[in-house]
């Protein structure tokens, strides 16, 4: 039975009839076709998708939606449709019963349709149970059903009008009802239901509207409109952003990647067993019988061996692959649809040539073109959306994984990557992946597009296509070579950039020291040298880029030229007509995209593979062995800490830094560890914390541990948060802790009390305050074991005594806890239970104070030498009086330390807003507590001035030349295409075109000129970019170095590093390429519009309104997009700042076991950043959908007017117009993308320039000042009525100081915390300019000098020794101004000669970042050597002996006494015994001179100095 018999009993109703459908002026489909195919198509669609959709719903349950009116209506209409279909079936049966012969189709189709409607109704309810608010599957079903029914609807109306006799009233009625119900169902399925119960959206204050949006709204990105309108009305702010979708959050994404990565790592680790025979030695001092009797044990040790490298790629694929695969489906559909355009163009040209064709066909093709373009648009944008979301999750996952890894890597691994490199992994490398994800599908999609294009071209032109293919194949190796070269350069550039950022990081951290030593220029030259090599590489990349741009702009043209030439020359009868030429051109244009993209994708993949390798190496680093410290074994024993036969090294391969360590510390005892600098005291604590590699032995600790590091680690948070450190706030206990740690006086002074924000690395606290906060943090957390690494060194004597009594000592807060105290202070030793004496990484003696003194060993000599000198017993005190050393200085010069006063930090210069010395002011405004300035997001449009700045940086001539070359290129391109249209319209005589060769020659020549122009503009833009980035970086570096200290205290280093890393990178590599693309797409759009107008002038009616719409959409979008981009970049800094901070404090975080809290904090910062990024992506999609719609309208109108004017229009012109129109969509889209990219990226120029407008220091060198060459020759200092303030709005910090110091005098400066001791030295170096009075040195007023003239002629030994990474020689003498002999002589006097000559590289020993591979004491001696090398007449000593043991301290003091005998020495003293033999002492109090005279006369006066001396046990 054929289909015809199926439709009608006698076969009179055929399935298809060409005369009826295609050749008629009023087309219609046969009833058979309508009753079968049009009914079955929607049914088939639903039944095929049903099983997949059912499974999808089953596994994706979002919760349950309550019955709503919408749902009731949908269900009701579904049932009604089912009833209507059954009515048709019953009517058919009734007709049969009447004895009418009936075709089977009248039973089968309604039955099938009825069952399908039931299925649809089932899905409506099932979706409700699974929480689907709006369904695409169902919407598509209703839409297909309506489209199919519309065709029948038209036919039925035509039939009723033309042949009223054939109408069956019942069937007509049911059909009209059916059609109406379908329309209603379609409308209802466009609406979105309420959110399901218990969903995130209900609880969320500002949920992302995407989840609840309807399907239509999702595919057109309509749901973001509200945000866009808001962004257009006023600049968007933080609070306007939606919460992140739960599946994009860190807590969901990161663990997935970490899990899969661990799986990959475990796959490559193969366990291998080896047998160890270990004889056991009885441990010293243990009872013999306590030990089990086996003398040796045979140990089976399972060690993991690596069999290969774990694959990060596989882990990423497993994590993000499934979601990403969806995008490939979209991409395939889109790629196929791309080729519909040229095919329709072919039909249109045929239609214009064939005058007999009915005119409706032209309109039909036009409509088809429009529908196809729109579908293509929606699918492409959906594809991009999936890609970008995947990219975003990828970035979140990588940052999270790197952060988690950074918390557990060993010290050895940590040394292989600097902070800068690790931060780069998070910023640059994660970004690379994000960018690659959007293009990665091109790897298979580009070849697919090429193959399809070639297939259609072959159909069109036959074998001559092969000529074109040959040209393309030739282009591939050229591009590949360029890509390989570019990769090599890129690696070199990354290396330079890492080096530069690392150096900048150090410069910014040690800026205080650079200023005091007047070393800015040396470091500027170092940075500039790296930068120059970076720019040389950039230039090479630019030339390569120009060549590749040239190849890919010329490629499509050469392909077309060679193909057409071969085609017309092979055979005289081959005529190039409009259809062949323009369909081929449209296909060549399609080809251009994949061919352009492939090299770009390949280079992008190459970059990503470099990043992948860096990430893999970092994520595969060794981790600390969590079991190296045993927390369980010791539970039954009385010992709180025990180490048996321990030997430890800093990394696996090293020699042990600690050997033969045996320690048993009973619970609740107080243990002191003493020894010379570098003997391993801090290492012992690190070993207890499990920070060192345990080579042999066992370590066990009972209970929780708190740790106070030697250099306090302070977070950028409030003071309270620093102390509470994530524990719950217990007010009573908190008060006791703060009081015991002597922090109450500081809280009085800090502008916001304990809510004061502390800057990065604690810049607005003095050294003593930082140390006390660090101690308070440990005490507050209330642990069982306390490891204290010399916490008393940085505080004044009386404060140290207070802390020992109240906190550490036998009666302190910590009594009953186990305390291990590393100390240099002798005065506390009598009160401790056990003293461990360390020499060269071994414990040589252990015992109580009296025992050790009795043994007459090294310890006894040590004590006698030092104690006799100043120890005076005070009978009233049971304990010996505070000895010569305890505690010491306060930070004057920290790394980036702010200018601070002593422990009380009276004017702690709370970086930005301190309440000044007015400690009396008790107001506590929340503003006062704020400190760092966050990176501000500018609002509003980017000013044209910024573009002008950039043009000036390039050079105006060069800029204009580039634009002119662009113009030439596009003119040539237009000319060649117009010439082609004239050629195709040439009349054909005897089967050939007469002036074929002339046409071909001109076409070729136009193409060649196009290529030359491209090459030239590409070179000029790239070179301009390099010039601009050199100029901008240079000025920024100079401006930053010229800024005063207050600027660095206000600006977080993260922001500055961001400028030198991210913004500079943008200016280097992003902006030039964006400018190229922007100009290219702009000229493309203009030339397309010109051609379309030329061919069909009617389009002029349409272009202005479309242009307006386009402009409005673009402005509307840019307003929001720019602001989102700014919010995103502002929220990016905190991610890196927090990461930086974590890296500096990993040992503290691990000791306190706070890793999880820090991971959560990092995650929330990343999420916060992505919260601003996500709307940005969606806004891009929103824009693209709207713009492409504008583009599609242009195509349609161009085609429509061409169809209308088909009698007057030549096929060549029509082909030209439409092939250009087909391109316009892509160009328009690209133009807006590029213009907004340009706007957002040019912000980098704005940010780099903004440091040009900040305040600057006085000039470094003054031409006018003629200083005598050896000035100062005498070192006579006269201070007249001197005063200074830290900020305009604050009171004077010191005032009315008038003192005369003769040349060669030694003057000690003392005073209680916050008396203004440091402020005076800052005034002397003009770190802060005077507010009143003046200082004269040898009769020269220092305020008349250039800063470098002044600072290079006086020397300071700062308190915090700052070293820079580089050679030791560079650290002593960055300008290479001294000979090697002089440097060695200085080292000898600084007692470093033996140490340095023992190093393998001697003076070229590489210091690591911050000098971390030298001990603190050695760094201090290096600073002394610097001073000895400069040997100026005036030496300022900010008492820097805190971190130094007593012997070294004596060495320093004696060196200063002998070497600087004839110099003026000013010492800020915390330990009075160092200045008792000075000529005079200056006592400051509350910023004024209180007493001034010789030490003996001041003691006789019984004033402030006497009281201080009494406190120190000196009188």
């Amino acid at each position: 039975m054929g289909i015809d018999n199926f439709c009608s009993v006698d076969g009179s109703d055929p399935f298809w009839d060409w005369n009826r459908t295609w050749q008629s002026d009023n087309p219609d489909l046969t009833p058979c076709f309508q009753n079968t195919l049009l009914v079955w198509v929607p049914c088939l669609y639903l039944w095929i998708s049903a099983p997949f959709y059912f499974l999808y719903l089953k596994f994706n349950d979002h919760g349950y939606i309550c019955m709503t009116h919408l749902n009731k209506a949908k269900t009701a209409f579904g049932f009604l449709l089912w009833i209507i279909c059954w009515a048709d079936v019953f009517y058919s049966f009734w007709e049969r019963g009447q004895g009418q012969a009936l075709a089977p189709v009248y039973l089968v189709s309604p039955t099938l349709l009825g069952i399908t409607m039931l299925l649809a109704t089932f899905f409506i309810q099932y979706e409700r149970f699974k929480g689907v608010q709006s369904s695409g599957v169902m919407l598509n079903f209703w839409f297909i059903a309506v489209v199919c029914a519309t065709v029948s609807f038209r036919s039925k109306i035509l039939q009723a009008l033309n042949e009223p006799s054939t109408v069956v009233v019942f069937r007509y009625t049911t059909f009209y009802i059916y059609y109406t119900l379908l329309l209603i169902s379609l409308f209802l399925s466009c609406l979105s239901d309420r959110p399901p119960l218990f969903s995130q959206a209900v609880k969320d204050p500002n949920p992302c509207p995407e989840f609840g949006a309807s399907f239509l709204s999702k595919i057109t990105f309509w749901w973001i409109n509200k945000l866009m309108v808001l962004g257009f009305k006023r600049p968007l702010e933080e609070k306007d952003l939606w919460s992140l979708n739960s599946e994009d959050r860190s807590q969901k994404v990161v663990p997935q990647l970490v899990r899969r990565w661990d799986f990959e790592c475990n796959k490559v680790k193969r366990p291998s067993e080896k047998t160890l025979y270990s004889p056991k030695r009885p441990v010293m001092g243990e009872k013999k019988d306590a030990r089990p009797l086996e003398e040796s044990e045979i140990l089976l040790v399972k060690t993991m061996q690596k069999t290969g490298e774990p694959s990060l790629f596989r882990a990423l694929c497993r994590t993000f692959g499934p979601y990403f695969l969806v995008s490939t489906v979209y991409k395939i559909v889109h790629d196929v649809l791309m080729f519909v355009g040229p095919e329709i163009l072919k039909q249109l040209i045929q239609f214009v040539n064939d005058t007999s064709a009915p005119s409706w066909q032209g309109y039909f093709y036009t409509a088809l073109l429009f529908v196809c373009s729109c579908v293509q648009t929606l699918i492409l944008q959906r594809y991009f959306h999936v890609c970008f979301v995947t990219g975003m999750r990828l970035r979140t996952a990588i940052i999270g994984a790197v952060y988690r890894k950074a918390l557990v890597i060993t010290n050895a691994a940590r040394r292989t990557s600097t902070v800068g490199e690790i931060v780069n992994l998070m910023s640059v490398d994660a970004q690379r992946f994000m960018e690659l994800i959007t293009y990665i599908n091109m790897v298979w999609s580009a070849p697919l597009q090429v193959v399809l294009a070639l297939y259609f071209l072959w159909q069109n032109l036959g074998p001559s296509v092969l000529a074109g293919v040959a040209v393309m194949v030739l282009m591939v190796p050229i591009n590949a070579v360029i890509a390989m070269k570019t990769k090599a350069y890129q690696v070199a550039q990354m290396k330079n950039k890492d080096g530069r950022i690392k150096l900048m990081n150090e410069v910014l951290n040690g800026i205080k020291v650079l200023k005091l030593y007047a070393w800015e220029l040396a470091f500027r030259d170092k940075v500039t040298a790296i930068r120059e090599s970076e720019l040389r590489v950039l230039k090479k990349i630019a030339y390569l880029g120009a060549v590749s741009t040239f190849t890919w702009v010329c490629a499509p043209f050469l392909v077309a030229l060679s193909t057409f030439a071969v085609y017309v020359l092979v055979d005289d009868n081959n005529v190039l007509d409009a259809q062949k030429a323009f369909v081929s051109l449209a296909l060549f244009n399609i080809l251009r995209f994949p061919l352009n993209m492939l090299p770009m994708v390949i280079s992008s993949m190459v970059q990503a593979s470099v990043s992948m390798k860096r990430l893999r190496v970092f994520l595969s680093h060794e981790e600390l062995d969590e079991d190296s410290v045993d927390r369980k074994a010791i539970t039954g024993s009385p010992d709180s800490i025990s180490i048996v036969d321990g030997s430890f090294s800093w990394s696996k391969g090293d020699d042990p830094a600690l050997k033969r360590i045996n320690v048993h510390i009973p619970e609740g005892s107080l243990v002191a560890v003493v020894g010379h600098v570098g003997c391993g005291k801090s290492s012992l604590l690190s070993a207890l914390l499990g920070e060192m590699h345990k080579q042999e032995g066992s370590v066990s600790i009972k209970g929780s541990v708190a740790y106070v590091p030697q250099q306090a680690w302070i977070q950028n948070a409030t003071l309270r948060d620093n102390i509470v450190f994530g524990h719950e706030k217990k007010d009573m206990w908190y008060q006791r802790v703060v009081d015991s740690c002597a922090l109450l006086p500081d809280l009085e002074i800090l502008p916001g009390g304990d809510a004061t924000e502390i800057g990065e690395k604690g810049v607005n606290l003095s050294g003593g305050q930082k140390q006390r906060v660090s101690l308070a943090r440990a005490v507050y957390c209330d642990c069982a074991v306390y490891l204290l690494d010399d916490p008393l060194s940085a505080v004044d004597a009386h404060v140290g005594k207070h802390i020992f009594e109240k906190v550490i000592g036998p009666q302190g807060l910590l009594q009953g806890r186990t305390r291990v105290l590393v100390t240099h202070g002798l005065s506390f030793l009598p009160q401790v239970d056990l003293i461990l004496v360390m020499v060269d990484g071994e414990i040589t003696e252990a015992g109580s104070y009296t025992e050790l003194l009795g043994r007459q060993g090294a310890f006894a000599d040590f004590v006698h030498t030092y104690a006799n000198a100043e120890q005076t017993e005070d009978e009233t005190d049971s304990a010996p009086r505070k000895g010569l050393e305890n505690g010491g200085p306060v930070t004057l010069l920290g790394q980036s330390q702010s200018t601070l006063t002593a422990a009380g930090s009276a004017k702690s210069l709370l970086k930005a807003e301190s309440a000044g010395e007015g400690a009396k002011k008790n107001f506590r405004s929340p503003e006062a507590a704020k400190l760092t300035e966050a990176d501000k997001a500018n609002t509003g449009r980017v000013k044209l001035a910024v573009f002008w700045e950039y043009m000036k940086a390039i050079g105006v001539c060069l800029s204009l030349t580039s634009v002119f070359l662009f113009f030439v290129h596009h003119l040539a391109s237009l000319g060649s295409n117009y010439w082609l249209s004239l050629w195709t319209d040439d009349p054909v005589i005897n089967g050939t075109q007469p002036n074929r060769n002339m046409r071909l020659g001109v076409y070729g020549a136009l193409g060649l000129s196009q290529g030359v122009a491209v090459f030239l503009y590409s070179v000029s833009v790239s070179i301009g970019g390099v010039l601009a980035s050199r100029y901008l970086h240079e000025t920024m570096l100079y401006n930053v170095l010229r800024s005063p200290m207050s600027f660095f205290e206000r600006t977080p280093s993260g922001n500055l590093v961001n400028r030198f890393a991210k913004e500079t990178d943008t200016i280097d590599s992003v902006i030039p390429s964006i400018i190229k693309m922007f100009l290219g797409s702009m000229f493309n759009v203009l030339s397309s519009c010109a051609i379309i107008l030329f061919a069909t002038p009617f389009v002029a009616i349409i272009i202005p309104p479309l242009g307006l719409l386009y402009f409005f959409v673009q402005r509307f979008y840019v307003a929001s997009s720019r602001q989102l981009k700014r919010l995103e970049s502002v929220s990016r800094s905190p991610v890196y700042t927090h990461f930086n901070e974590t890296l500096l404090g990993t040992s503290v975080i691990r000791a306190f076991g706070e890793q999880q809290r820090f991971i959560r904090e990092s995650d929330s910062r990343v999420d916060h950043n992505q919260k601003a990024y996500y709307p940005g992506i969606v806004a891009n999609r929103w824009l693209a959908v709207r713009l492409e719609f504008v583009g599609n309208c242009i195509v349609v109108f161009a085609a429509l007017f061409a169809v209308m004017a088909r009698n007057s229009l030549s096929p060549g012109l029509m082909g030209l117009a439409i092939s250009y129109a087909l391109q316009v969509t892509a160009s328009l889209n690209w133009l807006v993308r590029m213009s907004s990219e340009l706007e957002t990226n040019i912000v980098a120029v704005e940010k780099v320039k903004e440091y040009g407008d900040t305040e600057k220091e006085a000039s470094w060198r003054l031409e006018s000042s003629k200083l005598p060459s050896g000035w100062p020759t005498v070192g006579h200092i006269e201070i007249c009525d001197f005063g200074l303030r830290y900020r305009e709005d604050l009171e004077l910090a010191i005032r009315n100081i008038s003192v005369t110091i003769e040349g060669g005098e030694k003057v000690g400066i003392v005073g209680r915390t916050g008396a203004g001791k440091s402020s005076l030295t800052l005034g002397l170096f003009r770190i802060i300019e005077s507010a009143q009075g003046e200082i004269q040195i040898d009769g020269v007023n220092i305020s008349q000098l250039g800063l470098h003239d002044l600072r290079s002629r006086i020397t300071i030994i700062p308190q915090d020794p700052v070293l820079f990474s580089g050679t030791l020689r560079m650290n002593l003498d960055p300008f290479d101004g001294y000979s090697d002999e002089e440097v060695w002589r200085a080292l000898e006097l600084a007692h470093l000669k033996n140490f340095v000559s023992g190093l393998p590289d001697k003076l070229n020993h590489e210091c690591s970042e911050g000098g971390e591979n030298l001990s603190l004491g050695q760094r201090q001696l290096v600073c002394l050597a610097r001073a000895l090398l400069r040997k100026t007449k005036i030496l300022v000593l900010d008492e820097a002996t805190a971190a130094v043991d007593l012997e070294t301290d004596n060495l320093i003091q004696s060196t200063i006494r002998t070497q600087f005998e004839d110099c003026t020495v000013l010492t800020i003293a915390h330990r009075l015994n160092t200045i008792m033999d000075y000529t005079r002492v200056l006592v400051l109090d509350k910023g004024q001179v209180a007493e001034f005279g010789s030490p003996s006369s001041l003691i006789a006066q019984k004033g402030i100095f006497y009281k201080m001396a009494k406190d120190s046990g000196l009188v």
Side-chain angles (χ1 to χ4, degrees), residues 767-911:
Q769 285 170 317
K770 283 196 287 195
Q771 199 61 53
R772 295 203 302 275
V773 170
S774 178
L775 182 64
R777 172 195 301 149
V779 178
Y780 184 83
C781 80
D782 204 16
C783 297
V785 177
Y786 282 82
L787 306 178
L788 312 169
D789 195 348
D790 206 2
L792 301 175
S793 63
V795 295
D796 288 354
H798 60 285
V799 180
K801 185 174 151 197
H802 171 95
I803 289 177
F804 189 80
E805 284 171 5
K806 288 282 181 30
V807 181
I808 303 168
Q811 266 65 55
L813 267 184
L814 299 182
Q815 60 187 17
R817 311 287 157 78
T818 310
R819 291 142 293 169
V820 179
L821 171 70
V822 170
T823 183
H824 291 132
L826 298 181
S827 54
F828 306 130
L829 298 182
Q831 303 182 46
V832 304
D833 306 327
L834 175 66
I835 299 174
L836 303 175
V837 185
M838 293 197 72
V839 179
D840 289 337
E842 296 191 45
I843 296 181
T844 53
E845 298 182 276
S848 70
Y849 187 69
T850 42
E851 271 173 40
L852 290 179
L853 278 182
R855 277 191 208 164
Q856 297 298 320
F859 178 75
D861 302 344
F862 180 67
V863 171
H864 287 309
T865 334
Y866 288 103
N868 297 350
E870 298 95 0
Q871 196 95 0
T872 49
E873 287 297 328
D874 191 335
E875 283 66 39
T876 57
D877 230 340
S878 58
R881 244 352 223 143
K882 159 101 183 64
L884 107 117
E885 165 212 299
N886 152 40
V890 182
T891 318
L892 161 59
L893 306 163
Q895 307 105 319
S896 85
Q897 254 29 332
S898 96
T899 334
L900 296 182
T901 8
S905 160
K907 311 146 297 295
S908 237
L909 181 79
L910 270 150
K911 223 156 107 192

Side-chain angles (χ1 to χ4, degrees), residues 1339-1405:
V1340 179
N1341 181 349
I1342 62 168
S1343 61
Q1344 321 271 282
L1345 298 177
L1347 290 178
H1348 280 184
D1349 292 328
L1350 168 68
R1351 290 172 186 168
S1352 59
R1353 313 285 180 98
I1354 54 183
T1355 307
I1356 184 162
I1357 300 183
Q1359 194 177 25
D1360 269 22
V1362 174
L1363 267 62
F1364 299 95
S1365 60
T1367 62
L1368 194 57
R1369 154 107 224 201
M1370 192 280 309
N1371 268 300
L1372 292 168
D1373 173 26
F1375 288 103
D1376 278 331
Y1378 300 93
S1379 68
D1380 277 6
E1381 289 73 53
E1382 293 174 285
V1383 175
W1384 277 111
R1385 171 104 183 91
L1387 286 172
E1388 186 176 358
L1389 293 169
H1391 310 283
L1392 277 172
K1393 188 172 183 180
N1394 296 343
F1395 168 69
V1396 177
S1397 47
L1399 294 168
D1401 302 331
K1402 310 264 188 303
L1403 283 177
N1404 292 327
H1405 174 70

